[in-house]
Amino acid sequence: MECPHLSSSVCIAPDSAKFPNGSPSSWCCSVCRSNKSPWVCLTCSSVHCGRYVNGHAKKHYEDAQVPLTNHKKSEKQDKAQHTVCMDCSSYSTYCYRCDDFVVNDTKLGLVQKVREHLQNLENSAFTADRHRKRKLLENSSLNSKLLKVNGSTTAICATGLRNLGNTCFMNAILQSLSNIEQFCCYFKELPAVELRNGKTAGRRTYHTRSQGDNNVSLVEEFRKTLCALWQGSQTAFSPESLFYVVWKIMPNFRGYQQQDAHEFMRYLLDHLHLELQGGFNGVSRSAILQENSALSASNKCCINGASTVVTAIFGGILQNEVNCLICGTESRKFDPFLDLSLDIPSQFRNKRSKNQENGPVCSLRDCLRSFTDLEELDETELYMCHKCKKKQKSTKKFWIQKLPKVLCLHLKRFHWTAYLRNKVDTYVEFPLRGLDMKCYLLEPENSGPENCLYDLAAVVVHHGSGVGSGHYTAFATHEGRWFHFNDSTVTLTDEETVLKAKAYILFYVERQAKAGSDKL
């Protein structure tokens, strides 16, 4: 939006010496010292945390609006200014008085000048940090980024994703998908597409939700992000271009509030699928599908039209079987799916840790059994029986008609009560290897033993109490090693730590070769 308060609120010099030292994205709140979501006031250059951390940036604005009776009028006016601030990570500008993001600038272009200065500070700090780490790598024989594998020392080449302001939900999903090899390789092998040319080529632009730009491609920005990960050339990558496209085509995710990682994953996969169907930026759909024709040819699960790599890898088919309890009429329906959302059975909901003594531990098998067991529909879900010509009581049962190459299982941890969406914090035990799905198949005799076994590739974890708060991280395996992805930070971990996680989304990959392992 066009903000009318910039001229009275943007008072600091673009190269102000009042700015703290270090990279802007790591600046600490002057009140609580938190370095999460720092915002800088464009009136006085003080740094405070965002409203989804401890809200000191907003409090700084509110305190400035309190009239002081013992001060002069000019001091009152000065005190009432601090309305505009800038995100130190994404450089977006926000006005508290307008309660919206700002797209315009002052006549002297001070907002853009401050933005460019913060970017220069960030780049300088990043370059210095890389130089320091390079020196440590050269001089230290036991550098923390090195690991001994089979007697040889190899570098950890994993790259983190910078948090752009409560974007951990997106980072956790991107890191998980980047470690699903068949899916990731497909996008990385697509030809690059230049989205900007002429005068804007190579220029970094800053977007807000009010700007109009139809020349965007989710597939292209997703490809660029995947290519940036696992190269080892930087410790963290900023996915701001991808996030801008997300804002453009997924209005639900505009702004900087916390979002549901599962909801984001579904939107992301659906929009990738739709864009691949229609081609993007001059690349025809047939040219895209030819990149991996084997996937398309073998896939029979089509969602919203033709098959793409999304449905070829994540697509499965459910059979929904409904039986009328009055006349016995049976109705069958086949539904394609990209993931399965599983309830955590109510009898396990007080079991918050694996070692807690009261009662048995909930397992992934319990959740799958609850999903596929015969269920009697309640009064609010009466089935319209075509034979009885009216709504009748009935039973429902799900069978899996076709398993996907990558089985995505979403544990339904958030439930609505009267006014709140509460979290089910139950620990659910899951296997790292050998998840056997054969007993949930409609025709198990038509599937070979290996086709029903799955090994874990990635886990998304939600830390905290509610869907609108907390933090997302991910565990994923890459070349036989497990990594923990926490925004910009990537660390090696072990299987025992992964198994202790309270999983929210699990990604299982179909086993390709025979290997001896325990089944679930």
Side-chain angles (χ1 to χ4, degrees):
M1 55 147 283
E2 298 280 338
C3 174
H5 309 115
L6 294 184
S7 58
S8 62
S9 297
V10 182
C11 305
I12 60 174
D15 55 350
S16 175
K18 296 181 181 179
F19 288 134
N21 295 323
S23 62
S25 62
S26 301
W27 285 348
C28 296
C29 173
S30 59
V31 179
C32 64
R33 308 308 298 167
S34 171
N35 63 352
K36 294 181 179 179
S37 186
W39 291 74
V40 60
C41 175
L42 297 188
T43 301
C44 62
S45 74
S46 59
V47 178
H48 297 89
C49 59
R51 66 176 70 190
Y52 298 106
V53 183
N54 292 314
H56 288 125
K58 186 177 182 182
K59 190 175 188 304
H60 172 70
Y61 155 71
E62 292 170 344
D63 290 345
Q65 311 313 305
V66 179
L68 301 179
T69 56
N70 296 328
H71 286 68
K72 297 178 181 179
K73 184 177 180 180
S74 62
E75 291 177 327
K76 290 182 187 178
Q77 291 172 342
D78 180 70
K79 193 72 175 170
Q81 286 175 354
H82 309 249
T83 61
V84 180
C85 57
M86 181 177 290
D87 189 330
C88 299
S89 298
S90 66
Y91 314 117
S92 297
T93 310
Y94 191 88
C95 177
Y96 281 109
R97 196 174 294 181
C98 298
D99 195 23
D100 205 346
F101 289 92
V102 178
V103 301
N104 57 317
D105 204 338
T106 64
K107 291 182 179 179
L108 298 177
L110 292 179
V111 174
Q112 181 63 20
K113 290 178 180 178
V114 172
R115 183 180 282 135
E116 290 174 353
H117 181 63
L118 294 188
Q119 182 190 354
N120 290 334
L121 291 177
E122 184 76 26
N123 292 338
S124 298
F126 182 60
T127 302
D129 185 57
R130 284 185 62 183
H131 181 72
R132 180 182 61 82
K133 289 184 177 181
R134 189 181 297 112
K135 283 291 184 183
L136 288 174
L137 189 62
E138 292 171 354
N139 298 332
S140 175
S141 58
L142 294 175
N143 187 273
S144 61
K145 293 282 284 182
L146 298 179
L147 178 74
K148 274 197 169 184
V149 180
N150 298 328
S152 62
T153 305
T154 57
I156 300 173
C157 56
T159 299
L161 287 168
R162 289 197 181 96
N163 193 315
L164 306 178
N166 286 312
T167 56
C168 55
F169 68 93
M170 178 178 75
N171 292 347
I173 293 298
L174 293 176
Q175 293 286 14
S176 298
L177 295 178
S178 76
N179 286 281
I180 297 174
E181 185 177 0
Q182 197 174 17
F183 185 71
C184 179
C185 287
Y186 174 89
F187 286 93
K188 285 162 59 174
E189 291 170 3
L190 286 176
V193 176
E194 188 59 46
L195 294 183
R196 296 190 295 271
N197 48 41
K199 293 181 179 180
T200 60
R203 183 187 303 172
R204 183 176 181 179
T205 56
Y206 301 88
H207 304 280
T208 71
R209 60 183 176 185
S210 300
Q211 283 181 286
D213 184 2
N214 296 321
N215 192 24
V216 295
S217 168
L218 180 64
V219 171
E220 172 64 4
E221 295 304 333
F222 186 66
R223 183 196 68 81
K224 289 178 181 177
T225 302
L226 294 183
C227 289
L229 302 175
W230 294 108
Q231 288 184 343
S233 57
Q234 53 187 333
T235 56
F237 174 75
S238 181
E240 58 186 20
S241 294
L242 175 62
F243 194 42
Y244 162 65
V245 176
V246 169
W247 276 27
K248 289 294 295 181
I249 65 177
M250 306 179 199
N252 289 7
F253 298 96
R254 290 176 182 172
Y256 295 97
Q257 65 270 29
Q258 183 63 280
Q259 301 281 0
D260 184 356
H262 174 252
E263 184 180 359
F264 172 75
M265 182 198 73
R266 285 307 313 266
Y267 270 88
L268 177 66
L269 293 179
D270 287 344
H271 280 82
L272 286 172
H273 172 65
L274 290 173
E275 191 170 316
L276 287 169
Q277 281 184 317
F280 68 104
N281 278 39
V283 181
S284 67
R285 182 177 67 189
S286 59
I288 294 172
L289 293 178
Q290 284 175 5
E291 291 290 324
N292 205 329
S293 57
L295 287 175
S296 262
S298 62
N299 181 53
K300 296 180 181 178
C301 177
C302 299
I303 299 173
N304 297 328
S307 171
T308 68
V309 67
V310 176
T311 54
I313 290 181
F314 290 96
I317 299 175
L318 281 176
Q319 177 179 288
N320 184 356
E321 191 176 285
V322 179
N323 281 279
C324 176
L325 291 177
I326 305 302
C327 68
T329 298
E330 184 179 277
S331 172
R332 294 180 182 178
K333 181 182 177 183
F334 291 94
D335 297 311
F337 68 88
L338 295 179
D339 69 304
L340 298 178
S341 291
L342 310 178
D343 280 307
I344 297 175
S346 56
Q347 65 266 32
F348 297 107
R349 292 192 181 177
N350 292 325
K351 185 85 171 182
R352 296 198 170 189
S353 68
K354 186 175 182 179
N355 299 323
Q356 194 173 329
E357 292 183 1
N358 56 332
V361 175
C362 180
S363 69
L364 193 56
R365 171 180 281 184
D366 294 315
C367 299
L368 285 165
R369 186 185 298 118
S370 175
F371 179 78
T372 56
D373 275 354
L374 188 68
E375 171 192 6
E376 184 171 339
L377 300 178
D378 58 33
E379 295 292 334
T380 62
E381 299 178 294
L382 292 178
Y383 163 67
M384 182 63 190
C385 179
H386 297 291
K387 187 174 182 180
C388 299
K389 306 292 186 184
K390 62 179 180 177
K391 290 185 177 181
Q392 301 283 27
K393 286 188 175 182
S394 59
T395 59
K396 180 180 72 174
K397 181 175 175 61
F398 284 120
W399 295 95
I400 298 177
Q401 198 267 342
K402 175 187 176 294
L403 284 166
K405 295 180 183 296
V406 174
L407 178 65
C408 180
L409 301 176
H410 160 235
L411 299 179
K412 294 162 73 172
R413 291 196 174 273
F414 300 107
H415 287 265
W416 284 103
T417 57
Y419 300 102
L420 299 173
R421 198 178 184 189
N422 294 329
K423 181 179 179 183
V424 179
D425 205 29
T426 303
Y427 171 78
V428 177
E429 193 174 54
F430 55 90
L432 289 180
R433 302 174 190 86
L435 171 62
D436 192 351
M437 295 295 294
K438 190 166 188 175
C439 60
Y440 310 108
L441 283 175
L442 179 63
E443 299 174 341
E445 65 278 2
N446 294 334
S447 299
E450 291 297 326
N451 295 338
C452 302
L453 292 181
Y454 287 80
D455 297 324
L456 189 66
V459 186
V460 173
V461 182
H462 178 268
H463 311 266
S465 58
V467 67
S469 60
H471 183 60
Y472 286 98
T473 65
F475 293 95
T477 180
H478 184 80
E479 296 180 349
R481 294 175 287 173
W482 279 96
F483 293 85
H484 183 220
F485 298 92
N486 183 4
D487 287 335
S488 300
T489 305
V490 182
T491 55
L492 276 167
T493 188
D494 53 38
E495 294 183 353
E496 185 178 353
T497 302
V498 177
L499 288 171
K500 290 179 181 177
K502 292 182 179 179
Y504 181 46
I505 305 173
L506 297 147
F507 296 88
Y508 280 94
V509 177
E510 182 184 46
R511 185 177 293 179
Q512 298 298 319
K514 290 186 177 181
S517 62
D518 297 330
K519 297 180 181 179
L520 174 66

